[in-house]
């Protein structure tokens, strides 16, 4: 095991985060805070409670997930795309380091950053909205699982992308719509039955539902299903990455 | 002597369908400086990239220090350092950070003293805290060399190390290469500056259209394929060559001021004494004379363009 190598990649990626502190930490925290101000305080104060939870508190887990997904994907995809773009990837490809170790370095750093951000946003939101966390360990568990899963997904996008446009198209065209339609701002059970069924094909529903359960003990779908779907998606991503390294797809000619 | 790189029946066809390497067999000896020469597109970078693990071979085997580069890639790659042809560096990192990164990436524990030595050898120590993007092109190339040396490799690949490099860096680079060789590092380089191969390399391999055309000790290659040339500055210019000398490979140059005698060092040793005697018989006097051997460059152009093979 080349632990020095994993550490080198991890440190390099984290250094990039600290270097761009404003963009990588401050900007997501500020934009999420705006959601709290608008939806939590301003609009939320006129909304009825959902499942006995004030609207402001209800949307917190969803908003954190929204940010977590976007940040995990963009961090991990950027992390592997940039060396491909600048050509510095040659060094990683020529190093005595296994695919698993490369992924540990890149995905580990992207996920770490997302988790830190998630916790920062939770702390910030406390300034605007009062909320409880019923199952703190489960909450951190979901946070970490989602961060890792979507960082893996981002890694795949970063390998696949051969231009900046492709790098952003999936997060913009697929992930953002899915998160908005994934029960961030409402409970799935509030939808008409037909749309409720359609929604169940949206993987984000399971993430948000499980995460919200760890806060308030209520969920749109069964907890086990939430967990199962997340783990399944993670395994699919891990499998795809295995295939990428095996075939050299877009990494080695 | 043992082979530190052993390439057997290596083929590479890119996804585009283009075959960049055909049945390449090549052995590099431990501790030598080996120059790979070939025109653009010959397959030099492809060959190096396969050995270093950046490109997958289509078929064939490569052993680095006895380790198969696929099955035993960790052992193989940890011995190899690569300075690629393209200048690609992380703009925002500092010089010291990027070299330290390289060392870690290759699985070596941190060793600031060693990194310092590498940076000093490459005149980068004063710039260690500078961001790479603030450096000149020549300095960036030094950084790439430092990165390649960061994990103390036994085998160093330099892909066109002196292309577009200033005189000072070139001189430093060759000093470094000599120093590395003294420490037992094997060096494989590609270059367009053939005088350098001639001066530096123990052996030369010529590759063209993905095939190794010949591999030869530099000295022997020049002896074998080199041409020699004798130039006589005539006392009186000649309008035409005398009939009596027409059996010799002579030509008049510089408006009849110079008589040039060219011969193939491979086939005959040239009969210079005989030539001078016959000139004397013809009453042709000369003021001065020079001899010159053809450079590796000329040999190379010959090989590549005429497809002439060495024996
Ligand atoms: N990724 C690639 N896909 C298709 N063809 C390639 C690729 N890389 C290089 N080639 C082709 O392979 C040939 C050899 O290239 P290269 O090894 O870079 O030659 P050299 O380094 O000797 O100039 C060239 O004709 C080049 O166009
Ligand atoms: Mg090349």
């Amino acid at each position: 095991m080349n632990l020095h190598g994993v550490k080198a990649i991890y440190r390099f990626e984290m250094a990039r985060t600290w270097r761009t502190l404003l963009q990588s930490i401050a900007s997501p925290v500020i934009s999420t805070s705006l959601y709290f101000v608008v939806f939590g305080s301003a609009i939320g104060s006129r909304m009825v409670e959902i499942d006995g939870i004030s609207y402001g508190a209800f949307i917190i887990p969803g908003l954190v997930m929204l940010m977590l997904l976007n940040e995990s994907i963009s961090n991990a995809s950027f992390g592997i795309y940039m060396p491909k773009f600048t050509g510095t990837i040659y060094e990683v490809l020529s190093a005595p380091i296994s695919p698993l170790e490369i992924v540990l370095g890149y995905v580990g750093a992207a996920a770490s950053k997302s988790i830190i951000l998630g916790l920062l946003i939770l702390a910030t939101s406390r300034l605007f909205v009062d909320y409880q966390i019923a199952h703190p360990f489960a909450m951190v568990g979901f946070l970490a699982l989602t961060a890792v899963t979507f960082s893996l997904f981002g890694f795949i996008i970063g390998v696949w992308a051969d231009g900046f446009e492709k790098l952003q198209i999936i997060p913009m065209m697929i992930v953002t719509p899915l998160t908005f339609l994934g029960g961030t701002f409402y409970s799935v059970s509030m939808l008409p039955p037909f749309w409720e069924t359609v929604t169940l094909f949206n993987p984000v529903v399971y993430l948000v539902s499980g995460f919200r359960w760890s806060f308030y003990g209520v969920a749109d779908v069964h907890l086990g299903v939430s967990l199962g779907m997340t783990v399944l998606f993670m395994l699919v991503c891990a499998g795809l990455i295995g295939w990428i390294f095996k075939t050299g797809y877009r990494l080695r000619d | 002597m043992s082979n530190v790189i052993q390439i057997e029946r290596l083929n590479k066809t890119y996804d585009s369908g283009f075959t960049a390497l055909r049945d390449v067999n090549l052995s590099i000896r431990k501790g030598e400086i080996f120059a790979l020469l070939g025109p653009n597109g010959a397959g030099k970078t492809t060959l190096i990239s396969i050995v270093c693990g950046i490109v997958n071979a289509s078929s064939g085997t490569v052993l680095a220090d006895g380790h198969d580069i696929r099955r035993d890639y960790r052992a193989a790659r940890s011995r190899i350092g690569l300075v690629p042809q393209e200048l690609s560096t992380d703009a925002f990192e500092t010089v010291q950070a990027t070299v330290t990164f390289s060392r870690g990436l290759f699985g070596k524990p941190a060793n600031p003293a060693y990194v310092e030595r590498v940076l000093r050898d490459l005149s980068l120590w004063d710039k260690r805290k500078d961001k790479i993007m603030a450096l000149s092109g020549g300095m960036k190339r030094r950084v790439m060399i430092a990165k390649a040396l960061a994990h103390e490799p036994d085998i160093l690949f330099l892909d066109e190390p002196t292309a577009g490099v200033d005189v000072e860096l070139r001189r430093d680079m060759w000093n470094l290469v000599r120093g590395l060789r003294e420490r037992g590092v094997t060096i494989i380089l590609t270059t367009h500056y053939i005088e350098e191969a001639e001066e530096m390399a123990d052996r030369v391999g010529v590759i063209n259209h993905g095939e190794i055309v010949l591999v030869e000790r530099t000295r022997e290659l020049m002896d074998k394929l080199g041409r020699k040339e004798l130039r006589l500055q005539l006392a009186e210019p000649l309008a035409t060559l005398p009939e009596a000398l027409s059996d010799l490979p002579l030509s008049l140059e510089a408006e009849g001021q110079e008589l040039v005698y060219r011969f193939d060092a491979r086939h005959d040793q040239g009969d210079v004494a005989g030539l001078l005697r016959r000139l004397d018989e013809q009453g042709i006097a000369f003021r001065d004379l020079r001899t010159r051997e053809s450079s590796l460059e000329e040999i190379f152009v010959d090989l590549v363009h005429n497809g002439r093979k060495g024996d």
Side-chain angles (χ1 to χ4, degrees), chain A residues 1-2 4-5 8-9 12 15 19 86-88 90-99 101 247-248 251-253, chain B residues 12 14 52-56 73-74 77-78 82 84 88-90 92-93 101-102 104-109 144 147:
Chain A
M1 180 94 184
N2 180 355
H4 291 293
I9 294 176
F12 177 89
R19 214 166 36 222
T86 60
T88 55
Y90 82 84
E91 205 179 13
V92 175
L93 295 179
S94 65
I97 188 166
S98 71
E101 289 155 0
T247 59
L251 282 180
R252 281 191 177 91
D253 283 317
Chain B
K12 174 63 188 180
Y14 281 107
C52 294
I54 295 165
V55 168
N56 288 329
Y73 69 93
R74 279 190 206 267
R77 291 185 198 167
S78 63
L82 165 67
S88 37
T89 49
D90 290 301
F92 303 103
E93 290 282 299
F101 166 83
S102 300
L105 188 65
F106 276 73
K108 287 272 166 100
M144 294 188 65
K147 283 166 78 67

Side-chain angles (χ1 to χ4, degrees), chain A residues 253, chain B residues 14 16 18 20 39-47 85 159-160:
Chain A
D253 283 317
Chain B
Y14 281 107
S16 64
F18 183 84
N40 270 329
K44 304 181 293 294
T45 298
T46 302
L47 183 59
Q85 183 174 356
D159 198 356
E160 314 246 351

Side-chain angles (χ1 to χ4, degrees), chain B residues 285-297:
Chain B
F286 57 92
R287 290 184 281 120
D288 199 2
L289 90 176
R290 272 184 295 141
T291 60
R292 200 175 76 81
E293 274 178 83
S294 62
S295 69
L296 204 45
E297 171 133 29

Side-chain angles (χ1 to χ4, degrees), chain B residues 13-26:
Chain B
T13 301
Y14 281 107
D15 288 343
S16 64
F18 183 84
T19 299
L21 294 178
R22 294 168 203 274
D23 252 349
V24 168
N25 293 292
L26 184 62

Side-chain angles (χ1 to χ4, degrees), chain B residues 252-282:
Chain B
L252 274 173
E253 287 176 18
E255 289 161 351
Q257 313 248 14
E258 283 187 7
L259 188 64
V260 184
Y261 177 56
R262 287 198 183 86
F263 56 95
D264 195 337
R266 184 162 58 151
H267 294 308
D268 58 79
Q269 291 306 308
D271 182 12
V272 176
L275 169 73
L276 297 184
R277 201 169 48 243
R278 286 176 65 184
L279 287 179
D280 198 37
E281 283 164 16
Q282 297 293 316

